[in-house]
């Protein structure tokens, strides 16, 4: 397919050494006010999976118009635009390149449901172009990106909402507020469980990409690897160049809630992560079994992630262990008592009702009011939450193979983490038929993290993984005051 003329122009600009982002900054200097008659005009970027939820929710809102659908895969255009037209009575314009949308002064906001490696660049470009942004979790692909997104939102005075929808649930708000205020004692350890069956992505040979897919544009800032059919769509999640694994995918929701239950000043001070990919061999890179321990100073956080057990449903849970008892499944189990006290109104499991509608509505309300302080989960929340996941992955990626007969001493000071390691081993025996005597796991180093500078202490290797490498024309903009 022929690419738009603007794509060719930006390629020439990039080749001449000028950052492509410079060509799209400031295209809507009057964007402090939304469209005529208080109508908010939204472009949705990424329309294969999660983007369809964006289409349904925005399309059902009064005073919101979906003007554009954006995706490098034009095979999606006919069905997605027809769905929006049926819902709203108006047919959106379909384009492959987000930069066409950013040049349109009538667009007020961009809603991003692309692969992770596009989140930061698209958000920053949109802020520079005077657009507000709703960006799915995790907001960034690495820690430096997240900080750059925060800076861009502040510099350009944009409304940027992070897609951790639990933040818009009043039950979770009350629940975490009580925990933070010490109603059930002082929080000692939070225990996250992310158990989601994920099948193998298999092995696929490189093939030419479909003609209707602009694979160069889909790749964007990432390395231009050979196209394989087990990358597009969705399975990019398990490749480091595009995704961040399950710990950043589903884990973002739970990290956000744990952070909400801690003091506002709580930040990770150290991290150690271990695990591997078990049960099958394939081309995926991220672990399907991972155990991570974080030290937040006054409290610890244990995150258990499992991707096996295909006969079991999704399980996402958070337990809060305090000096007085354990809070789990909507009950408070006081130390020494077998029966738990029911916590009235506590969220028990799963996603809160109307989580998507309320969170998106909060974004639109703030677009109209221009009050970023009213966002349920702003870009700084998103950055801090995504950073927790990135810290775990960095420790894991720097790990070395260890025998299962070797107990990770880094977990010995936390009973829950030590027990979780034993549970992980049993899980692998049961779910993957693993012979522990013949198997190993990757054990990462314990990394000390300085949250004030967002760098690791005395670990040049880890600091190398704080950011990424970007292709010409897709560089991460360096923001200046």
């Amino acid at each position: 397919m022929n690419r738009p003329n603007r794509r060719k122009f930006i390629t020439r600009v990039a080749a001449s050494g000028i950052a492509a982002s410079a060509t799209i900054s400031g295209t809507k200097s009057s964007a402090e006010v939304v469209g005529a008659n208080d109508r908010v005009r939204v472009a949705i970027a990424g329309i294969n999976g999660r983007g369809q939820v964006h289409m349904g929710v925005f399309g059902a809102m009064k005073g919101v118009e979906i003007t554009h659908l954006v995706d490098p895969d034009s095979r999606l255009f006919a069905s997605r635009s027809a769905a929006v037209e049926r819902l709203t009575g108006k047919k959106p314009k379909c384009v492959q390149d987000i930069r066409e949308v950013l040049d349109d002064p009538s667009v007020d906001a961009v809603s991003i449901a692309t692969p992770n490696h596009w989140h930061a660049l698209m958000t920053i470009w949109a802020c520079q172009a005077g657009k507000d942004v709703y960006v799915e979790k995790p907001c960034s692909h690495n820690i430096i990106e997240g900080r750059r997104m925060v800076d861009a939102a502040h510099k350009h005075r944009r409304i940027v909402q992070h897609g951790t929808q639990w933040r818009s649930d009043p039950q979770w708000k009350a629940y975490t507020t009580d925990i933070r205020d010490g109603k059930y004692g002082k929080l000692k350890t939070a225990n996250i469980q992310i158990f989601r069956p994920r099948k193998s992505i298999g092995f696929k040979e490189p093939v030419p990409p479909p003609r209707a897919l602009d694979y160069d544009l889909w790749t964007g800032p990432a390395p231009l690897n050979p196209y394989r059919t087990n990358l597009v769509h969705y399975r990019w999640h398990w490749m480091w160049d595009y995704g961040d694994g399950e710990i950043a995918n589903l884990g973002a929701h739970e990290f956000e809630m744990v952070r909400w239950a801690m003091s506002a000043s709580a930040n990770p001070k150290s991290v150690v992560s271990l695990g591997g990919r078990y049960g099958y061999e394939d081309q995926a890179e991220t672990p399907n079994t991972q155990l991570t321990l974080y030290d937040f100073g006054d409290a610890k956080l244990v995150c258990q992630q499992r991707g096996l057990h295909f006969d079991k449903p999704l399980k996402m849970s958070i337990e809060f262990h305090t000096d007085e008892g354990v809070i789990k499944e909507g009950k408070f189990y006081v130390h020494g008592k077998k029966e738990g006290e029911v916590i009235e109104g506590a969220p028990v499991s799963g996603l809160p009702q109307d989580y998507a509608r309320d969170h998106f509505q909060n974004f639109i309300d703030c677009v109209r009011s221009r009050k970023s302080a009213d966002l349920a989960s702003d870009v700084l929340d998103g950055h801090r939450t995504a950073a927790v996941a990135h810290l775990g992955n960095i420790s894991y990626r720097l790990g070395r193979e260890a025998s299962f007969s070797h107990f990770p001493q880094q977990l010995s000071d936390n009973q829950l983490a030590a027990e979780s390691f034993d549970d992980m081993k049993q899980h692998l025996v049961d779910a993957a038929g693993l012979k522990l005597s013949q198997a190993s796991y990757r054990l990462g180093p314990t990394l000390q993290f300085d949250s004030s500078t967002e760098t690791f202490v005395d670990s040049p290797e880890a600091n190398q993984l704080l950011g990424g490498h970007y292709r010409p024309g897709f560089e991460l903009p360096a923001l200046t005051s």
Side-chain angles (χ1 to χ4, degrees), residues 7 27 38 61 114 143 147 178 183 188 191 215 240 242 283 301-302 316 318 365 383 399 417 426 453 468:
R7 291 282 318 288
T27 59
D38 207 28
M61 287 184 184
T114 63
I143 290 175
R147 175 53 59 182
D178 286 343
K183 182 176 180 179
K188 305 298 290 184
N191 179 31
Y215 182 60
W240 293 122
Y242 321 108
Q283 288 172 304
L301 168 59
V302 176
M316 295 176 64
I318 310 174
D365 291 345
H383 167 53
Q426 189 61 52
T453 61

Side-chain angles (χ1 to χ4, degrees), residues 284-295:
E285 298 169 338
T286 64
N288 65 12
T289 306
Q290 188 174 8
L291 173 60
T292 309
L293 173 64
Y294 301 87
D295 182 0

